[in-house]
Amino acid sequence: MSSGKFQLKVPKGTKDWADKDMVLRTAIFDTIVSVFKRHGGVTLDTPVFELKEILAGKYGEDSKLIYDLKDQGGELCSLRYDLTVPFARYLAMNPTVQSMKRFHIAKVYRRDQPAMTKGRMREFYQCDFDIAGTFESMIPDAEILAIGVETLSDLGIKDFKAKLNHRGILDGIFQTCGVPEADVRKISSAVDKLDKLPWADVKKEMTIEKGLPEEVADKIGEYVKLKGGPELLEQLKADQSLMSNTSAKAGVDDLTRLFEYTDAYQITSYISFDLSLARGLDYYTGLIYEFVVASSAPPPSAGSAAEKKHAKKSKDKYIDDDDNSENVGVGSIAAGGRYDKLVGMFSNSKKGDIPCVGVSFGVERLFSLIKASINEDQLRANDTEVFVMAMGGGEGWTGFLKERMAVSKMLWEAGIKAEFQYKTKVKFRQQFEAAEKAGIPIALILGQEEYPNGYVKIKMLGTHAAGDGETVKVEDMIPTLKEKIATVNSTSALIESIRQL
Amino acid sequence: MSSGKFQLKVPKGTKDWADKDMVLRTAIFDTIVSVFKRHGGVTLDTPVFELKEILAGKYGEDSKLIYDLKDQGGELCSLRYDLTVPFARYLAMNPTVQSMKRFHIAKVYRRDQPAMTKGRMREFYQCDFDIAGTFESMIPDAEILAIGVETLSDLGIKDFKAKLNHRGILDGIFQTCGVPEADVRKISSAVDKLDKLPWADVKKEMTIEKGLPEEVADKIGEYVKLKGGPELLEQLKADQSLMSNTSAKAGVDDLTRLFEYTDAYQITSYISFDLSLARGLDYYTGLIYEFVVASSAPPPSAGSAAEKKHAKKSKDKYIDDDDNSENVGVGSIAAGGRYDKLVGMFSNSKKGDIPCVGVSFGVERLFSLIKASINEDQLRANDTEVFVMAMGGGEGWTGFLKERMAVSKMLWEAGIKAEFQYKTKVKFRQQFEAAEKAGIPIALILGQEEYPNGYVKIKMLGTHAAGDGETVKVEDMIPTLKEKIATVNSTSALIESIRQL
């Protein structure tokens, strides 16, 4: 047995979820799952670690953030970095599954420099919904955007918008402006920083760091400053040099169709077509988007040079990937895009490609936003509905422990959530205080005289308290309790109140 | 980007959960959580890995089965081996929490020789309920047993019993029979094999392998063959030499009280007091138990010498710990016990001790049992309630794609689970077949003539089919659909039907 000297803590970048935070997080998950199921989603659970080679070559520079398991003999494995690659691996392994609307809520792992205040953890939850299958252009993509809007609305998030772009248009712009094919991804990643850095800095990165001629950078600069709604598409359509590029033309056609569908879903007002959105991950092939909130703007110091320098110099050699992470925007609460080639990467034949489009919600950021906007006093850590108490005294008073047990058992069997004090000689006041402290709304009282005669008393507690309670026959106890329970708050009420924030 | 040669598989001893299996597993979890919440449980979520030193010295010989993360700089971490040690670590870290009924459903990791047919995996779920806090003897213990009985009953498990013993009685027996103090744990672990091996083999292990004098082993043999109900306690109470041992006496007193409480809970008939039950883990200090089913008896080859030899010789050097695992009995579906010193191991003061008692359900085994007993045709992979279809044809027929989108959106906003075909030019028959294949119970049909005039048709499908359907106004569509939905099966009906198996 071990003893003495060790650090009593969780690993850096991880945390325990408990108490009211856990109740709130569960309510958030329930809300998200209910949207996912409304859209026909089925869930998939993959192992927390994958063969190391499955993750290899999927995350570009960010591969250095992957956690490996120690080589203890046998296969080399790594903790999953996201839920997308395991989903693609699943599809490739199960060729009979040619289409799927799957959701997956689970933890992912990144050996990143933690920044708790920014909600960046090494272990964190992702909530993903993806539509896999060969379908007509933009139909699933529009539904994914609708799911994003519905989910955030149901979570009571206000002032959010979906920044949206298309890799085809972006690639077309780079080609039209004269970026060499080999440099497209790195120029793309520079553009992606425009939500955090001024154009001058981004241009410097393109030209000085990445060797792009200044006039090429300037041409790109004219495009990537454009943002707006569907009307911006008309402007691009009028740009003959851009429209002569096949990739850009196809992207513009996609978006034209997309906006028709978002009109049908009545969500176009949430969308901001933003040519500066690029997203870090290599595997996107079409539409890309990022849901952002105005209210979670970066603190002034976020991403400052000083902070980055500190991270780079810190003793353990974890990497600050603020610049490379696919969750680029600081106000980003969900993000995703179309990835038509990822499943095929796991397959040896061209036939193995299954086009996919999806969205991933960042729970930690949503949690912080929602927590800041609710009154935590309304939350209870448990759902207990009834506290079973004994009332009596004097000589020969047993405390009715076994009676409380027997009655609790009756309640449990009737599906009622019930507790009692784990004590023989109970004091009435102590039981009352315990119930009120835990926020339990109903007391079921076994009186020394009444209970042996077949009667119990039901009394509402706390904010539900009203009068002295009512005495009912034991055989009427359960229906009466169920009526009372229906009048008090429950977790589903919490979800409802979150929605109405 | 990677390419070509790699194995498309999940790591050995892990699996994907998908489709109907996932639906069934979710229903099992929901059932278990609902029992846990009835008993006042709150949930806790701890990181999937802990500092390596937190796990050190907690699992005896089984420590070799712990998965370590690779040393990539910074802290050394290991994947959690169970949910009990992280819970104890949490309590020690949060000294304001002096009592807690916590449940935790999550994956744990053991670098064990996988045996899929026996449900032994390297990644598997545990469902734990534990009561921490200083309470009167046996009150929480009896409730944990009641939770075990309720959970298995609600899951439709039949013919189960709770084998139960007490470490105090077992230690008393070993002391009374003359086992040296230092040998108690290893003799205990030999006794624990009596559910798989005949006494002669166990005796051989005690005497030849572990050096116990033969007459001591024989004395132990007389005790550990005893099993029965509360009446066995009377037999032990009459055993003066055993009752002169403090530890055995205290254990017998505990069990006497326990049986009073299990009587109050009306669960005594499920209990088999079995002096051969020892359980592998070091940290138990009092009551120990194991829920077993008759119907999952070991296959003839289970644990055979040949199989073990094969495991030992297999190329990757994983260990077959069949003999050492705490999940000893092959028919074991849940197990647990009292551990009063584990929290204190993380604390430097005696005051840090928090007594605990808990039970852990093995989901994989429960899943196999339940799956074997249900008709899988009754399960649907998703919950979709309504398939939105278009019906029309001829020149100028658009397929009503945007209309189907707009109507689906109305349904989603009303909380109705709806899908439609991702296609412009739909064929009525194809839509019908897609809906029927997916088991979706209701078709909402937008007719080429009717819909523009404000009417839709609602038609029940599959086993719910009846007549030609009814035509309703668009404004009555949602209330009518909700009435229909209330008449068809849902996931909660699945849980109910599992309970009634």
Side-chain angles (χ1 to χ4, degrees):
Chain A
M1 297 270 173
S2 86
S3 72
K5 280 266 178 192
F6 57 85
Q7 276 194 295
L8 191 58
K9 63 185 280 297
V10 292
K12 191 174 172 184
T14 71
K15 61 175 281 196
D16 293 321
W17 287 85
D19 208 40
K20 291 182 176 184
D21 280 358
M22 192 65 185
V23 174
L24 184 58
R25 200 189 73 183
T26 305
I28 292 172
F29 284 166
D30 289 348
T31 303
I32 294 176
V33 167
S34 111
V35 177
F36 288 173
K37 286 190 163 187
R38 285 209 299 264
H39 288 265
V42 298
T43 183
L44 176 71
D45 176 25
T46 64
V48 83
F49 48 81
E50 296 275 346
L51 295 182
K52 190 175 162 68
E53 57 198 7
I54 295 286
L55 304 193
K58 307 299 182 303
Y59 302 106
E61 285 180 30
D62 288 352
S63 296
K64 64 195 168 204
L65 303 178
I66 293 174
Y67 272 101
D68 293 328
L69 294 188
K70 188 170 160 183
D71 181 3
Q72 294 170 292
E75 302 160 337
L76 295 179
C77 298
S78 304
L79 299 186
R80 63 183 163 214
Y81 182 87
D82 63 13
L83 304 175
T84 311
V85 167
F87 177 48
R89 189 267 308 146
Y90 171 82
L91 289 172
M93 260 177 74
N94 294 276
T96 56
V97 180
Q98 283 294 314
S99 72
M100 190 173 185
K101 296 179 185 172
R102 93 84 175 75
F103 68 90
H104 193 179
I105 297 188
K107 290 171 171 179
V108 300
Y109 299 88
R110 299 184 185 184
R111 219 174 49 79
D112 201 347
Q113 187 64 25
M116 303 292 196
T117 52
K118 286 196 268 172
R120 190 170 61 215
M121 305 284 289
R122 289 182 176 174
E123 175 185 67
F124 59 97
Y125 269 92
Q126 286 192 337
C127 298
D128 282 22
F129 190 102
D130 294 77
I131 300 177
T134 304
F135 300 112
E136 275 183 35
S137 162
M138 293 296 122
I139 304 180
D141 310 58
E143 185 165 339
I144 292 283
L145 291 173
I147 288 169
V149 170
E150 275 178 57
T151 303
L152 297 176
S153 301
D154 278 9
L155 288 171
I157 306 293
K158 297 210 190 322
D159 298 327
F160 67 86
K161 58 178 182 170
K163 287 163 59 175
L164 177 148
N165 199 358
H166 193 294
R167 277 277 167 94
I169 298 178
L170 215 45
D171 288 356
I173 289 171
F174 296 144
Q175 286 161 10
T176 309
C177 295
V179 177
E181 193 55 39
D183 293 345
V184 162
R185 279 282 78 77
K186 68 185 186 192
I187 297 306
S188 181
S189 117
V191 166
D192 205 36
K193 293 175 194 162
L194 275 173
D195 63 338
K196 287 183 292 190
L197 297 176
W199 167 247
D201 288 9
V202 170
K203 180 179 169 182
K204 203 150 78 181
E205 180 176 330
M206 287 181 177
T207 51
I208 296 172
E209 286 177 38
K210 298 185 170 166
L212 203 66
E214 191 164 337
E215 64 278 17
V216 174
D218 285 337
K219 276 198 216 166
I220 294 172
E222 288 309 303
Y223 281 109
V224 298
K225 70 166 77 142
L226 300 175
K227 54 190 69 172
E231 78 289 350
L232 178 52
L233 270 183
E234 299 310 314
Q235 188 179 333
L236 297 184
K237 282 179 193 166
D239 181 334
Q240 289 188 354
S241 104
L242 188 62
M243 285 306 100
S244 66
N245 178 287
T246 327
S247 164
K249 173 75 168 57
V252 167
D253 288 347
D254 272 355
L255 288 194
T256 306
R257 204 170 295 116
L258 179 77
F259 280 118
E260 288 179 33
Y261 298 157
T262 57
D263 282 348
Y265 285 138
Q266 296 182 289
I267 56 166
T268 308
S269 61
Y270 291 96
I271 294 173
S272 162
F273 177 26
D274 185 335
L275 281 169
S276 73
L277 181 76
R279 310 224 355 91
L281 283 178
D282 285 357
Y283 54 59
Y284 290 116
T285 54
L287 198 67
I288 47 178
Y289 32 82
E290 199 170 295
F291 287 83
V292 294
V293 274
S295 52
S296 67
S301 70
S304 76
E307 189 184 358
K308 267 178 263 170
K309 209 164 159 191
H310 174 76
K312 290 247 155 49
K313 287 173 69 178
S314 83
K315 224 170 47 187
D316 55 353
K317 297 158 286 173
Y318 292 94
I319 304 101
D320 181 323
D321 85 325
D322 211 28
D323 299 340
N324 304 313
S325 159
E326 79 272 29
N327 281 321
V328 270
V330 182
S332 168
I333 47 177
R338 175 162 281 285
Y339 50 102
D340 286 348
K341 303 292 174 196
L342 188 59
V343 178
M345 285 174 68
F346 292 109
S347 177
N348 290 322
S349 70
K350 254 246 146 168
K351 253 177 54 195
D353 268 341
I354 298 182
C356 298
V357 62
V359 63
S360 177
F361 295 87
V363 178
E364 271 72 7
R365 287 173 185 197
L366 286 172
F367 177 84
S368 308
L369 278 174
I370 293 168
K371 185 173 168 160
S373 67
I374 62 161
N375 176 3
E376 280 205 68
D377 294 343
Q378 291 179 333
L379 296 181
R380 284 175 55 201
N382 72 21
D383 283 352
T384 305
E385 295 156 339
V386 177
F387 202 88
V388 179
M389 309 179 181
M391 183 163 66
E395 211 169 323
W397 168 232
T398 63
F400 273 171
L401 173 63
K402 288 177 206 167
E403 288 79 357
R404 285 180 280 137
M405 286 177 163
V407 166
S408 295
K409 174 75 174 174
M410 288 165 73
L411 303 190
W412 295 330
E413 288 194 339
I416 294 171
K417 305 184 186 92
E419 294 186 84
F420 61 91
Q421 215 174 13
Y422 289 160
K423 203 172 173 180
T424 311
K425 301 276 180 198
V426 280
K427 293 204 174 66
F428 188 61
R429 173 142 299 282
Q430 278 181 358
Q431 297 170 87
F432 231 87
E433 284 166 0
E436 295 240 329
K437 194 177 161 203
I440 298 169
I442 303 172
L444 178 70
I445 301 161
L446 313 189
Q448 190 170 8
E449 306 291 336
E450 295 80 2
Y451 183 67
N453 289 316
Y455 288 91
V456 293
K457 188 189 252 186
I458 295 172
K459 191 174 178 338
M460 305 303 287
L461 301 177
T463 54
H464 307 284
D468 262 359
E470 58 185 291
T471 299
V472 300
K473 286 191 181 165
V474 169
E475 56 263 38
D476 298 330
M477 169 178 80
I478 284 172
T480 312
L481 285 172
K482 288 197 166 174
E483 273 170 37
K484 305 280 182 199
I485 289 165
T487 68
V488 299
N489 284 338
S490 66
T491 309
S492 56
L494 169 67
I495 295 175
E496 195 46 46
S497 71
I498 287 176
R499 187 176 313 190
Q500 286 161 2
L501 281 176
Chain B
M1 297 268 169
S2 85
S3 73
K5 279 264 178 194
F6 57 85
Q7 276 194 294
L8 190 59
K9 63 185 281 295
V10 293
K12 191 173 172 184
T14 71
K15 60 175 281 191
D16 293 321
W17 287 85
D19 206 41
K20 292 184 176 183
D21 280 358
M22 192 65 185
V23 174
L24 184 57
R25 200 190 73 183
T26 305
I28 292 172
F29 284 167
D30 289 349
T31 303
I32 294 176
V33 167
S34 111
V35 177
F36 289 173
K37 287 191 161 184
R38 284 208 300 264
H39 288 265
V42 299
T43 185
L44 175 71
D45 177 25
T46 64
V48 83
F49 49 82
E50 297 275 346
L51 295 183
K52 190 174 161 69
E53 56 198 7
I54 295 285
L55 304 192
K58 305 301 182 303
Y59 301 106
E61 286 179 29
D62 288 352
S63 296
K64 64 193 169 202
L65 302 179
I66 293 173
Y67 272 101
D68 293 328
L69 294 188
K70 188 171 160 183
D71 181 2
Q72 293 169 291
E75 302 160 337
L76 295 179
C77 298
S78 305
L79 298 186
R80 65 183 162 215
Y81 182 86
D82 63 13
L83 303 174
T84 310
V85 166
F87 176 48
R89 189 267 307 146
Y90 171 82
L91 289 171
M93 260 178 73
N94 294 276
T96 57
V97 180
Q98 283 295 312
S99 71
M100 188 173 188
K101 295 179 187 173
R102 94 84 176 75
F103 68 90
H104 193 179
I105 297 188
K107 290 171 170 179
V108 301
Y109 298 87
R110 299 185 184 182
R111 219 174 48 78
D112 202 348
Q113 186 64 26
M116 304 293 196
T117 53
K118 286 195 267 172
R120 191 170 62 215
M121 305 285 288
R122 288 181 176 174
E123 174 184 69
F124 60 97
Y125 269 92
Q126 287 192 335
C127 298
D128 282 22
F129 189 102
D130 294 77
I131 300 176
T134 304
F135 299 113
E136 276 182 35
S137 162
M138 293 296 121
I139 303 181
D141 311 57
E143 186 165 339
I144 293 283
L145 291 173
I147 287 169
V149 171
E150 275 178 57
T151 303
L152 298 177
S153 302
D154 278 8
L155 288 172
I157 306 290
K158 296 209 190 322
D159 298 328
F160 67 87
K161 57 179 182 169
K163 286 163 60 175
L164 177 149
N165 199 1
H166 193 294
R167 277 276 167 95
I169 297 177
L170 215 45
D171 288 356
I173 289 171
F174 296 145
Q175 286 160 10
T176 308
C177 295
V179 176
E181 193 56 40
D183 293 345
V184 162
R185 279 283 77 79
K186 70 183 186 192
I187 296 306
S188 181
S189 115
V191 165
D192 205 36
K193 292 172 195 167
L194 275 173
D195 64 338
K196 287 183 291 187
L197 297 177
W199 166 247
D201 288 8
V202 171
K203 180 178 169 183
K204 203 151 79 182
E205 179 176 332
M206 288 181 175
T207 51
I208 296 171
E209 287 178 37
K210 297 186 171 166
L212 203 66
E214 190 163 339
E215 64 277 16
V216 174
D218 284 338
K219 275 198 215 168
I220 293 172
E222 289 307 304
Y223 281 109
V224 297
K225 70 167 75 147
L226 300 175
K227 54 189 70 173
E231 79 289 349
L232 177 53
L233 270 183
E234 299 311 314
Q235 188 180 334
L236 297 184
K237 281 179 192 166
D239 181 335
Q240 289 189 353
S241 105
L242 186 63
M243 284 307 99
S244 66
N245 177 286
T246 328
S247 164
K249 174 74 169 58
V252 166
D253 288 348
D254 272 355
L255 289 195
T256 306
R257 205 171 293 115
L258 178 78
F259 279 119
E260 289 179 31
Y261 298 157
T262 57
D263 282 348
Y265 285 139
Q266 297 182 290
I267 56 167
T268 309
S269 61
Y270 291 97
I271 294 173
S272 162
F273 176 26
D274 185 334
L275 282 169
S276 73
L277 180 76
R279 312 230 344 98
L281 285 177
D282 285 358
Y283 54 60
Y284 290 117
T285 55
L287 198 66
I288 46 178
Y289 33 81
E290 200 170 295
F291 287 83
V292 294
V293 273
S295 53
S296 67
S301 70
S304 75
E307 189 183 358
K308 266 178 264 172
K309 209 164 158 190
H310 174 76
K312 290 246 154 51
K313 287 173 70 180
S314 83
K315 224 169 46 189
D316 56 351
K317 294 159 287 174
Y318 292 93
I319 303 102
D320 181 322
D321 86 325
D322 210 29
D323 300 339
N324 304 313
S325 158
E326 78 271 30
N327 280 322
V328 269
V330 181
S332 168
I333 48 176
R338 175 162 282 285
Y339 50 101
D340 287 347
K341 304 292 174 196
L342 187 59
V343 179
M345 285 174 69
F346 292 109
S347 174
N348 291 321
S349 70
K350 252 245 146 173
K351 253 176 54 195
D353 268 342
I354 298 182
C356 297
V357 62
V359 64
S360 177
F361 295 88
V363 178
E364 271 74 6
R365 288 173 184 198
L366 286 172
F367 177 85
S368 308
L369 278 174
I370 293 168
K371 185 172 168 162
S373 68
I374 61 160
N375 176 3
E376 280 204 69
D377 294 343
Q378 291 180 332
L379 295 181
R380 284 176 53 202
N382 72 20
D383 283 352
T384 305
E385 295 156 338
V386 177
F387 202 88
V388 179
M389 309 179 181
M391 183 163 66
E395 212 170 323
W397 168 231
T398 63
F400 272 172
L401 174 63
K402 289 177 204 165
E403 288 78 359
R404 285 180 281 139
M405 286 177 163
V407 166
S408 296
K409 174 75 173 173
M410 289 166 72
L411 303 190
W412 295 330
E413 287 194 340
I416 293 171
K417 305 185 186 91
E419 294 186 83
F420 61 92
Q421 214 174 12
Y422 290 160
K423 203 173 174 177
T424 312
K425 300 276 179 200
V426 281
K427 293 206 173 67
F428 189 62
R429 173 143 299 281
Q430 278 180 357
Q431 298 171 87
F432 232 87
E433 283 166 1
E436 295 241 329
K437 193 177 162 204
I440 298 169
I442 304 173
L444 179 69
I445 301 161
L446 314 190
Q448 189 171 9
E449 305 292 335
E450 296 79 2
Y451 182 68
N453 289 315
Y455 288 90
V456 293
K457 188 188 251 186
I458 295 172
K459 189 172 177 346
M460 305 302 288
L461 301 176
T463 55
H464 308 284
D468 263 359
E470 58 186 291
T471 299
V472 300
K473 286 190 181 165
V474 169
E475 56 262 40
D476 299 330
M477 169 178 80
I478 284 172
T480 312
L481 285 172
K482 287 198 168 176
E483 273 170 37
K484 305 280 181 197
I485 289 165
T487 67
V488 299
N489 283 338
S490 67
T491 310
S492 57
L494 170 66
I495 295 175
E496 195 47 47
S497 72
I498 287 176
R499 187 176 312 190
Q500 286 162 0
L501 282 176

